[in-house]
Amino acid sequence: MPARKVIVELRCNEFAMRDANPNVPWTPEEIARDAAEAREAGASILHFHARDAETGAPSSDAAIFGDAIRRVRAATDLLVNPTLGAYTVDDPAERVAHIPVLGRDPATAPDLAPVDLASTNIDPYVPGKGFVVETLVYRNPIDGIRTEIEAIHGAGAHV
């Protein structure tokens, strides 16, 4: 069988909290450390969520994203793919607002940015509690998808 190439993407923190896993990286320093370790193990892309350093709450703050990207690039050659926030941000224009800000500075410009092309029901499983949300819908209407793609391309990143 001929050798097949594989692309490994590190998704280092998603929406996981530290009560379930104390190793989830929240700070830009922790994200960069995990990115460097993943690069050593063969990863080539980093996907991450900016987080409040104290609470771990999702953040859309371009400064936190930028700090993490600078640190990751100082430590690795990974392609950077920051989140758009998924269902934590309802408005697609707000969901993508940090990408053009990051794109203004070559040191923080993302290489890639994700776009979710479908709406979906969200019902996270919590160990010991089961499925805990039955009414959350992650909406991605066509006009919102276009808004996100235009902002990402305008920032020089790829979808």
Side-chain angles (χ1 to χ4, degrees), residues 16-81:
M17 297 303 285
R18 288 187 175 157
D19 56 349
N21 181 348
N23 301 306
V24 175
W26 287 351
T27 68
E29 297 88 354
E30 293 166 346
I31 292 168
R33 181 201 63 227
D34 281 12
E37 291 174 8
R39 180 65 182 117
E40 284 293 316
S44 57
I45 301 172
L46 167 68
H47 175 80
F48 71 98
H49 294 243
R51 306 286 281 274
D52 177 277
E54 297 300 317
T55 67
S59 175
S60 296
D61 187 338
I64 297 172
F65 278 104
D67 187 17
I69 292 169
R70 281 187 182 89
R71 291 173 186 274
V72 167
R73 289 201 170 130
T76 77
D77 63 348
L78 290 173
L79 295 174
V80 177
N81 180 21

Side-chain angles (χ1 to χ4, degrees), residues 5 9 24 40 58 72 86 90 125-126 132 143 145:
K5 295 184 181 200
E9 177 181 32
V24 175
E40 284 293 316
V72 167
D90 288 331
Y125 180 82
V126 177
V132 296
D143 63 340
I145 293 168

Side-chain angles (χ1 to χ4, degrees), residues 79-149:
L79 295 174
V80 177
N81 180 21
T83 193
L84 299 188
Y87 64 89
T88 62
V89 181
D90 288 331
D91 180 2
E94 289 178 31
R95 197 181 291 164
V96 75
H98 60 288
I99 300 296
V101 173
L102 295 168
R104 291 184 198 123
D105 181 350
T108 61
D111 300 297
L112 308 165
V115 174
D116 294 312
L117 300 177
S119 297
T120 188
N121 295 322
I122 304 291
D123 191 2
Y125 180 82
V126 177
K129 294 182 181 178
F131 292 100
V132 296
V133 180
E134 294 184 355
T135 60
L136 184 59
V137 176
Y138 176 31
R139 291 189 64 246
N140 289 297
I142 298 299
D143 63 340
I145 293 168
R146 285 190 184 113
T147 296
E148 292 175 3
I149 290 171

